[in-house]
Amino acid sequence: MKLNFKKLGAGKPLIILHGLFGSADNWFSISKELKDSFTLYLVDLRNHGDSPQSDEWNYEVMVEDLKELMDDEGLEKAFLMGHSMGGKTAMNFALKYPERVEKLIVADIAPRYYAVHHQSILDGLESLDLNEIQSRKEADEELAKYIPEIGVRQFLLKSLGRDADGFRWKINLPVITKNINEVGKALPDGKSFSGPTLFMAGSNSSYIQQSDLDDIASFFPNHEVEFIADAGHWLHAEQPDAVVEEIRRFLR
């Protein structure tokens, strides 16, 4: 699949993958701080953003989408970074194509299995009748019945597009809902990536815990873990300066 991406900056290639319900635009503010040092590829994963939609949606196909992008761009090797679902995609890619990854950065996700915990978000998104919604404010008010956190709602509404026919989701909501179990799948056993790997965790997030450290070490023996202070799961939005500093330090 030919993924949509934004390319900017100059230097060694750094590919950035967003998380579930997100898009390449989630990392645009971070990219502005990094474009003087890297050629950045901000990618929309399949069924998200402006990339094509498909009934097939799992880490295996997302890994192959990424390989196709690298092949098309003539990238033999690149720095690779992903957040949450994008981090799982990046980890899976590094295990399958280790020779294509110079260094790996994983933002707030571990290799283990995660139980489905997005049901209230899915319920809220599915509750919106896009044929009736007249404004983003109205959409936000409807979502608030299911999702009390204003920051989460603002993040989700970035995927609400609008054209001449009205509002539409940029995410493939039916396929994501049907295959939501795919997002939490653990990495497959039997492989490891020996390249330098950085795990960035939000100190206020539960996604990476002390109990995950042995699992991380088994898949990524050449790793380090840095906890970003005063940050939750969306650490790049909550503490962008600290995240940029860690990226620069690790990739220097």
Side-chain angles (χ1 to χ4, degrees):
M1 177 179 287
K2 304 295 184 185
L3 298 178
N4 178 67
F5 63 91
K6 294 179 175 69
K7 181 179 177 181
L8 64 156
K12 283 190 171 184
L14 168 58
I15 301 170
I16 303 179
L17 308 177
H18 62 80
L20 181 64
F21 305 122
S23 71
D25 290 345
N26 298 151
W27 285 87
F28 190 70
S29 295
I30 295 287
S31 71
K32 289 192 291 186
E33 302 299 321
L34 296 170
K35 66 180 182 179
D36 60 330
S37 303
F38 306 96
T39 298
L40 296 157
Y41 291 83
L42 309 181
V43 180
D44 285 333
L45 294 169
R46 69 164 58 198
N47 290 328
H48 291 75
D50 293 319
S51 280
Q53 299 195 349
S54 169
D55 289 339
E56 192 174 14
W57 185 63
N58 53 55
Y59 287 119
E60 290 79 9
V61 295
M62 287 193 279
V63 163
E64 294 308 314
D65 292 344
L66 178 56
K67 180 178 180 295
E68 184 173 347
L69 186 154
M70 291 184 68
D71 290 345
D72 289 347
E73 287 294 301
L75 301 177
E76 289 297 321
K77 205 167 191 177
F79 297 132
L80 181 58
M81 177 168 65
H83 171 245
S84 199
M85 179 189 76
K88 274 276 181 78
T89 305
M91 285 189 277
N92 276 283
F93 185 90
L95 294 184
K96 186 169 185 180
Y97 300 110
E99 72 283 357
R100 307 295 295 268
V101 181
E102 187 161 347
K103 289 185 177 182
L104 174 66
I105 300 178
V106 179
D108 212 52
I109 197 77
R112 63 175 163 91
Y113 166 77
Y114 291 79
V116 174
H117 54 281
H118 302 97
Q119 196 56 52
S120 62
I121 289 177
L122 290 170
D123 290 343
L125 297 178
E126 291 177 334
S127 74
L128 289 184
D129 185 344
L130 299 187
N131 294 319
E132 298 295 328
I133 295 295
Q134 300 297 315
S135 67
R136 288 182 177 275
K137 182 175 183 296
E138 189 177 333
D140 181 61
E141 290 170 351
E142 288 297 314
L143 281 181
K145 298 174 183 177
Y146 296 84
I147 306 162
E149 303 87 356
I150 187 171
V152 176
R153 297 199 308 272
Q154 289 173 339
F155 163 74
L156 293 168
L157 287 171
K158 289 181 179 180
S159 291
L160 186 62
R162 192 171 195 175
D163 54 28
D165 297 323
F167 287 104
R168 62 176 181 83
W169 287 117
K170 291 186 175 183
I171 55 175
N172 190 341
L173 188 56
V175 168
I176 289 173
T177 300
K178 180 180 178 182
N179 298 285
I180 193 64
N181 285 305
E182 294 291 334
V183 178
K185 282 191 173 179
L187 264 61
D189 291 329
K191 292 184 178 181
S192 63
F193 172 70
S194 60
T197 304
L198 169 65
F199 282 80
M200 289 190 295
S203 64
N204 299 332
S205 171
S206 61
Y207 274 71
I208 295 182
Q209 303 177 6
Q210 290 296 320
S211 57
D212 292 318
L213 299 185
D214 288 345
D215 196 27
I216 287 172
S218 68
F219 285 104
F220 305 98
N222 185 13
H223 79 280
E224 55 185 280
V225 180
E226 294 291 337
F227 286 86
I228 305 297
D230 301 316
H233 185 54
W234 282 279
L235 64 176
H236 52 299
E238 297 172 37
Q239 297 295 337
D241 292 343
V243 168
V244 167
E245 183 178 343
E246 278 301 316
I247 294 169
R248 286 190 179 278
R249 177 195 65 79
F250 182 69
L251 299 184
R252 188 173 297 130

Coordinates of all heavy atoms in Angstrom, one line a residue, residues 12-14 34 38 79-81 102-105 196 198 245-252:
K12 N 20.0 12.8 7.9 CA 19.7 11.3 7.9 C 18.2 11.1 8.0 O 17.5 11.9 8.7 CB 20.4 10.6 9.0 CG 21.9 10.4 8.8 CD 22.5 9.5 9.8 CE 23.9 9.0 9.5 NZ 24.4 8.1 10.5
P13 N 17.6 10.1 7.4 CA 16.2 9.9 7.4 C 15.7 9.4 8.8 O 16.3 8.5 9.4 CB 15.9 8.9 6.3 CG 17.2 8.1 6.2 CD 18.3 9.2 6.5
L14 N 14.6 10.1 9.2 CA 14.0 9.7 10.5 C 12.5 9.5 10.1 O 11.8 10.5 9.8 CB 14.2 10.7 11.6 CG 13.3 10.6 12.8 CD1 13.5 9.2 13.5 CD2 13.6 11.7 13.8
L34 N 13.1 19.3 14.8 CA 14.1 18.3 14.3 C 14.5 18.4 12.9 O 15.5 17.8 12.5 CB 13.5 16.9 14.5 CG 13.2 16.5 16.0 CD1 12.4 15.2 16.0 CD2 14.5 16.4 16.8
F38 N 17.4 16.3 10.5 CA 17.0 15.0 9.9 C 16.1 15.3 8.7 O 15.4 16.3 8.6 CB 16.2 14.2 10.9 CG 17.0 13.9 12.2 CD1 16.7 14.7 13.3 CD2 17.9 12.9 12.2 CE1 17.4 14.4 14.5 CE2 18.6 12.6 13.4 CZ 18.3 13.4 14.6
F79 N 16.6 5.9 10.7 CA 16.1 5.9 12.1 C 14.6 5.7 12.1 O 13.9 6.3 11.2 CB 16.4 7.3 12.7 CG 17.9 7.6 12.8 CD1 18.4 8.8 12.4 CD2 18.8 6.7 13.4 CE1 19.7 9.2 12.5 CE2 20.1 7.0 13.5 CZ 20.6 8.2 13.0
L80 N 14.1 5.0 13.0 CA 12.6 4.7 13.0 C 12.1 5.0 14.4 O 12.6 4.5 15.4 CB 12.4 3.2 12.7 CG 11.0 2.7 12.6 CD1 10.2 3.5 11.6 CD2 11.0 1.2 12.2
M81 N 11.0 5.7 14.5 CA 10.4 6.1 15.7 C 8.8 5.9 15.6 O 8.3 6.2 14.6 CB 10.7 7.5 16.1 CG 10.0 8.0 17.4 SD 10.6 9.5 18.0 CE 10.2 10.6 16.7
E102 N 18.5 1.8 11.6 CA 19.8 2.2 12.2 C 19.7 2.3 13.7 O 20.5 1.9 14.4 CB 20.2 3.6 11.5 CG 21.6 4.0 12.0 CD 22.3 5.0 11.1 OE1 21.7 5.2 9.9 OE2 23.3 5.6 11.4
K103 N 18.7 3.0 14.1 CA 18.3 3.1 15.5 C 16.8 3.2 15.7 O 16.1 3.7 14.8 CB 18.9 4.4 16.2 CG 20.4 4.4 16.4 CD 20.9 5.6 17.1 CE 22.4 5.5 17.4 NZ 22.9 6.7 18.2
L104 N 16.3 2.6 16.8 CA 14.8 2.5 17.0 C 14.4 3.3 18.2 O 15.1 3.2 19.3 CB 14.5 1.1 17.2 CG 13.0 0.7 17.5 CD1 12.1 1.1 16.4 CD2 12.9 -0.8 17.9
I105 N 13.4 4.1 18.1 CA 12.8 4.8 19.3 C 11.3 4.4 19.4 O 10.6 4.4 18.4 CB 12.9 6.3 19.1 CG1 14.3 6.8 19.0 CG2 12.2 7.0 20.3 CD1 14.5 8.3 18.8
P196 N 20.7 -0.2 18.5 CA 20.4 0.7 19.6 C 18.9 1.0 19.6 O 18.3 1.4 18.6 CB 21.3 1.9 19.3 CG 22.3 1.4 18.3 CD 21.7 0.3 17.5
L198 N 15.8 3.0 22.0 CA 15.4 3.8 23.1 C 13.9 3.7 23.3 O 13.1 3.8 22.4 CB 15.7 5.3 22.8 CG 15.0 6.4 23.8 CD1 15.6 6.2 25.2 CD2 15.2 7.8 23.2
E245 N 14.5 16.7 23.2 CA 15.9 16.6 23.8 C 16.3 15.1 23.8 O 17.5 14.8 23.5 CB 15.9 17.1 25.2 CG 17.2 17.1 25.9 CD 17.2 17.7 27.2 OE1 16.2 18.5 27.6 OE2 18.1 17.5 28.0
E246 N 15.4 14.2 24.2 CA 15.8 12.8 24.2 C 16.0 12.2 22.8 O 17.0 11.4 22.6 CB 14.6 12.0 24.8 CG 14.7 12.0 26.4 CD 16.0 11.4 26.9 OE1 16.4 10.4 26.4 OE2 16.5 12.0 27.8
I247 N 15.2 12.6 21.8 CA 15.4 12.2 20.4 C 16.8 12.6 19.9 O 17.6 11.8 19.4 CB 14.3 12.7 19.5 CG1 13.0 12.1 19.9 CG2 14.6 12.4 18.1 CD1 11.8 12.7 19.2
R248 N 17.1 13.9 20.2 CA 18.4 14.4 19.7 C 19.6 13.7 20.4 O 20.6 13.4 19.7 CB 18.5 15.9 20.0 CG 17.6 16.8 19.0 CD 18.0 18.3 19.3 NE 17.2 19.1 18.4 CZ 17.5 19.4 17.1 NH1 18.6 18.8 16.6 NH2 16.8 20.2 16.4
R249 N 19.5 13.5 21.7 CA 20.5 12.9 22.4 C 20.8 11.5 21.9 O 21.9 11.1 21.7 CB 20.2 12.8 23.9 CG 21.2 12.1 24.8 CD 20.7 11.7 26.1 NE 19.6 10.8 26.1 CZ 19.7 9.4 25.9 NH1 20.9 8.9 25.7 NH2 18.7 8.6 25.8
F250 N 19.7 10.7 21.7 CA 19.8 9.3 21.3 C 20.3 9.2 19.9 O 21.1 8.2 19.6 CB 18.5 8.6 21.5 CG 18.5 7.1 21.2 CD1 19.2 6.3 22.0 CD2 17.9 6.6 20.1 CE1 19.3 4.9 21.7 CE2 17.9 5.3 19.8 CZ 18.6 4.4 20.6
L251 N 19.9 10.0 19.0 CA 20.2 9.9 17.6 C 21.5 10.6 17.2 O 22.0 10.5 16.1 CB 19.1 10.4 16.7 CG 17.8 9.6 16.8 CD1 16.7 10.2 15.8 CD2 18.0 8.1 16.7
R252 N 22.1 11.4 18.2 CA 23.3 12.2 17.9 C 24.4 11.3 17.5 O 24.7 10.2 18.0 CB 23.7 12.9 19.1 CG 24.8 14.0 18.9 CD 25.0 14.8 20.2 NE 23.8 15.6 20.5 CZ 23.2 15.7 21.7 NH1 23.7 14.9 22.7 NH2 22.2 16.4 21.9

